[in-house]
Amino acid sequence: MLTTTNPATGITNETDIEQTSPAETAARAASAQLAFDTVRGSTRDWRAGLLEALADGLEHHRPALVATANDETGLGEARLNGELNRSQFQFRLFADALREGSYLEATIDHAGETPLGAAPELRRMLLPIGPVAVFGSSNFPFAFSVVGGDTASALAAGNSVVIKAHSSHPLTSQLSFSALADAASAYGAPEGILGIVYGTESGRVLVADPHIAAVGFTGSLGAGEALLAIISTRPNPIPFYGELSSLNPLIVTRAAAAERTTQIAEGLFGSFTLGAGQFCTKPGVAFVPRGASGDAILEDLRARTAAAGGMVLLNERISHSLTDILGRITNDGGANVLAVGSLAGAGILAAPTLLEIDAADFTEATAEEAFGPVLVVARFDSLEQIFHAVDAMPGSLTATIHHGDDEPDAVRQLSERIAPTVGRLVFNGFPTGVRVSWAQHHGGNWPSTNSQHSSVGVSAIRRFLRPIAFQDAPAAVLPEELREEFSSIPRRIDGVLVLPARAATSKKVIV
């Protein structure tokens, strides 16, 4: 039987959940294939209704979901209710995207004469890819786990899903899956459209299964690389969309430090300790200028860190890893410890820790992600010292620039240098907190992710779709969105974007 540990108390209890055997995992994947064969031809309206039914199902089980997740994560009811709201919103946002239809990239080039001579007719759009394996994350028991964005976007695309539950919250995963499965069944979805497996070995078996067509993963770099290695041995390697490791540098210019000293220190402390520093977008290194204003920011951070109590980590593995990484950043990376909070209390705790280094001395060894409430402050005298450190950093999900009211040249230089290394560039804000929207991009250069796609927002659906072009095809074999008379979604026809009449004349108010 699997066990579950309340990290706020350190108490471990046995569950009634067994690890899924290889045979059972294979059966889940086969069932997902049968369900996919049924739903791959479903209408966008049907799938939108399914997603809305799943969101309703989560609301019906809210009290039990939040209580169970709190026992397994120690994240608190306020945080967990907010996260469950986000999960529901993701399902409903994808339902809106399905009905709007532009995600299909429907494109028609009619046959005719071209500058290169006579050309055939081509009609192209995106179709569902097949059963998707989704790996839940430890730090977001709802938004990036069983009821998270990978599940929502894969279902929206027209696929079935088999979820690998995270070992840190098996009971939350079990209850989340039941809420979705019950809602899907009541809606009339086929059995197997959703499946779940438990245990580390089941994840390995799942990504190797021939029925699985793509993988969505949020977790550690080591685990992601291990799964990639398994996928590479398949007769037909499949797409692996991993979110893995991110340092998320934050830069404070001289003008910003002078203009907003206290606000920046307060916001930065809150950002690197939010959720005990267990956010994938946590700023791991902050560049602070030398001088009086920078000294004031550093002293404020030092005082806040020293006065902070122990913060609950999600599991013992994260705790042991954080200890090892701190040792490497100080011993190999050359960072000095400026302040450490207390460890008073029960449970799996980490003391908030503030480190300092000269930006000129920053190396690859200093640039290791510390998953927990840890911040390295790099002091700089010039932009060139920041650029030196940026060159030593791996790719990140985000970078942040705090700038003053009147320094366009510095902002431009910093933006041009750091933008090629990240997926989201934040100005005068903090990277923790990822808006779920049409314009969001939650991805970045290796090792933050291993693809150019987003795992948050509407474009996340693109991961689980594949393009197909029909050449001189009879109308009967075409999806309805590519037929000549169809006009209810945006389409590009002979190079011209054609919008539905209702879209061109209506206005939608978003609250």
Side-chain angles (χ1 to χ4, degrees):
M1 296 296 181
L2 298 180
T3 60
T4 181
T5 299
N6 185 333
T9 64
I11 298 174
T12 298
N13 292 299
E14 192 172 86
T15 73
D16 62 355
I17 303 172
E18 295 182 352
Q19 295 194 49
T20 309
S21 70
E24 291 171 325
T25 301
R28 301 277 199 284
S31 181
Q33 180 65 58
L34 292 175
F36 172 68
D37 291 339
T38 299
V39 301
R40 65 193 302 178
S42 61
T43 66
R44 290 177 293 107
D45 280 342
W46 184 89
R47 294 201 304 278
L50 171 64
L51 296 176
E52 290 166 340
L54 298 180
D56 291 341
L58 295 179
E59 184 60 34
H60 178 72
H61 291 276
R62 177 183 291 271
L65 285 168
V66 170
T68 303
N70 195 36
D71 286 344
E72 291 194 304
T73 66
L75 292 174
E77 291 188 359
R79 151 75 189 272
L80 291 167
N81 269 300
E83 194 179 321
L84 192 57
N85 289 342
R86 172 184 168 136
S87 290
Q88 290 178 301
F89 180 80
Q90 287 180 142
F91 281 108
R92 298 189 190 281
L93 180 63
F94 281 113
D96 289 343
L98 287 176
R99 293 189 173 106
E100 188 266 352
S102 64
Y103 77 96
L104 290 170
E105 299 178 13
T107 307
I108 299 172
D109 291 326
H110 289 106
E113 290 296 324
T114 76
L116 298 178
E121 177 186 87
L122 289 172
R123 296 177 184 246
R124 177 189 181 276
M125 65 178 281
L126 303 179
L127 298 179
I129 196 169
V132 175
V134 169
F135 283 71
S137 72
S138 62
N139 56 338
F140 285 91
F142 296 133
F144 281 87
S145 291
V146 173
V147 299
D150 283 355
T151 298
S153 56
L155 290 173
N159 304 300
S160 54
V161 173
V162 182
I163 302 153
K164 160 59 177 66
H166 197 280
S167 59
S168 286
H169 45 256
L171 292 174
T172 304
S173 297
Q174 183 186 57
L175 185 56
S176 297
F177 176 76
S178 294
L180 293 185
D182 289 349
S185 177
Y187 184 75
E191 183 179 358
I193 193 171
L194 288 161
I196 191 167
V197 296
Y198 300 89
T200 301
E201 182 60 24
S202 69
R204 300 190 185 102
V205 173
L206 189 62
V207 300
D209 191 280
H211 294 108
I212 297 300
V215 178
F217 175 85
T218 302
S220 69
L221 177 59
E225 289 178 325
L227 294 177
L228 275 168
I230 294 172
I231 289 172
S232 70
T233 66
R234 289 176 50 129
N236 60 328
I238 57 177
F240 176 90
Y241 300 110
E243 183 192 315
L244 306 169
S245 174
S246 189
L247 190 61
N248 307 306
L250 181 146
I251 300 166
V252 182
T253 67
R254 292 191 181 281
E259 293 171 11
R260 303 188 305 279
T261 307
T262 302
Q263 297 95 315
I264 289 174
E266 181 181 10
L268 182 52
F269 178 80
S271 189
F272 91 83
T273 58
L274 182 64
Q278 298 168 113
F279 275 43
C280 52
T281 52
K282 181 206 78 173
V285 58
F287 293 90
V288 176
R290 293 195 181 280
S293 297
D295 291 346
I297 289 176
L298 191 62
E299 174 56 27
D300 194 323
L301 287 171
R302 189 204 62 75
R304 291 176 189 273
T305 302
M311 297 182 173
V312 177
L313 297 178
L314 293 160
N315 54 55
E316 289 283 4
R317 180 188 58 76
I318 291 174
S319 177
H320 296 322
S321 177
L322 184 59
T323 300
D324 293 343
I325 292 169
L326 274 172
R328 291 196 290 271
I329 293 175
T330 53
N331 295 330
D332 302 333
N336 301 310
V337 177
L338 283 186
V340 179
S342 74
L343 270 179
I348 305 171
L349 301 179
T353 302
L354 184 69
L355 308 174
E356 182 186 26
I357 193 171
D358 288 341
D361 297 330
F362 198 95
T363 67
E364 291 182 6
T366 325
E368 184 172 3
E369 180 191 24
F371 198 67
V374 176
L375 176 69
V376 177
V377 175
R379 304 300 300 275
F380 68 90
D381 293 300
S382 65
L383 294 185
E384 286 69 26
Q385 290 179 344
I386 297 176
F387 298 155
H388 157 78
V390 168
D391 288 342
M393 291 181 191
S396 286
L397 294 167
T398 76
T400 300
I401 299 173
H402 279 267
H403 61 88
D405 291 334
D406 189 22
E407 47 181 350
D409 288 343
V411 174
R412 177 185 54 77
Q413 291 180 60
L414 288 168
S415 300
E416 289 178 352
R417 189 61 178 267
I418 204 166
T421 70
V422 302
R424 177 164 58 105
L425 196 54
V426 180
F427 295 89
N428 289 344
F430 296 93
T432 38
V434 180
R435 177 182 177 182
V436 181
S437 69
W438 287 78
Q440 185 59 268
H441 179 74
H442 188 62
N445 297 7
W446 178 266
S448 60
T449 61
N450 71 320
S451 78
Q452 299 302 309
H453 292 282
S454 176
S455 63
V456 178
V458 171
S459 66
I461 196 175
R462 185 61 178 81
R463 299 171 298 165
F464 306 124
L465 294 160
R466 66 179 184 88
I468 185 170
F470 297 87
Q471 182 168 323
D472 292 330
V477 306
L478 292 172
E480 69 169 353
E481 291 89 351
L482 289 181
R483 295 178 184 176
E484 196 68 24
E485 67 278 6
F486 190 85
S487 62
S488 62
I489 67 168
R491 302 193 299 178
R492 187 169 294 278
I493 301 176
D494 296 327
V496 177
L497 182 62
V498 179
L499 300 178
R502 57 178 173 79
T505 59
S506 65
K507 293 182 179 180
K508 183 174 181 180
V509 178
I510 300 176
V511 179

